[in-house]
Amino acid sequence: MPSYKELLAQREELEKQIEAARSKEFDTVVADIKQKIEFYGITAADLGMGAKSKTAEKRPRNSVAPKYRDPKSGATWSGRGKPPRWIAGKNRDEYTI
């Protein structure tokens, strides 16, 4: 059975071989991909990259009804997220709509 030191040396040699093989194949693979993109007219949106999907654009956002109102300014807050200054640290029952 090989020693720990020998196994580390083998791993280092394998990592060098892996990187060399990757470097050698990289240009060929990129050229092949570019050729197919050009031939088929593939866009970044087709691949789901760079552009929002159509389903995300069509999804409506529901607004939340306000639960609290500032009697001085008339400002409202839904109770979600960071509380505004006018209600922060105060009893919220006094501001309930």
Side-chain angles (χ1 to χ4, degrees):
M1 181 169 156
S3 70
Y4 178 69
K5 199 172 195 178
E6 292 170 343
L7 289 172
L8 288 176
Q10 288 176 6
R11 180 175 73 179
E12 188 175 317
E13 182 60 33
L14 280 174
E15 288 174 353
K16 287 179 184 178
Q17 290 176 11
I18 289 168
E19 185 56 36
R22 182 187 183 284
S23 297
K24 183 178 177 183
E25 295 174 16
F26 184 82
D27 293 333
T28 306
V29 171
V30 169
D32 183 46
I33 292 170
K34 285 181 179 179
Q35 180 185 12
K36 288 178 180 176
I37 287 173
E38 186 177 324
F39 181 77
Y40 291 103
I42 298 171
T43 64
D46 292 333
L47 300 174
M49 301 167 61
K52 292 182 180 179
S53 67
K54 293 178 183 179
T55 56
E57 292 174 11
K58 293 181 181 179
R59 183 178 55 198
R61 294 281 185 173
N62 296 333
S63 60
V64 179
K67 294 181 182 179
Y68 307 100
R69 182 183 317 274
D70 181 12
K72 293 179 184 175
S73 68
T76 59
W77 180 52
S78 67
R80 292 187 178 179
K82 185 177 178 180
R85 290 183 189 156
W86 54 265
I87 199 170
K90 299 178 183 173
N91 184 358
R92 294 183 183 172
D93 293 337
E94 300 172 11
Y95 297 92
T96 304
I97 298 176

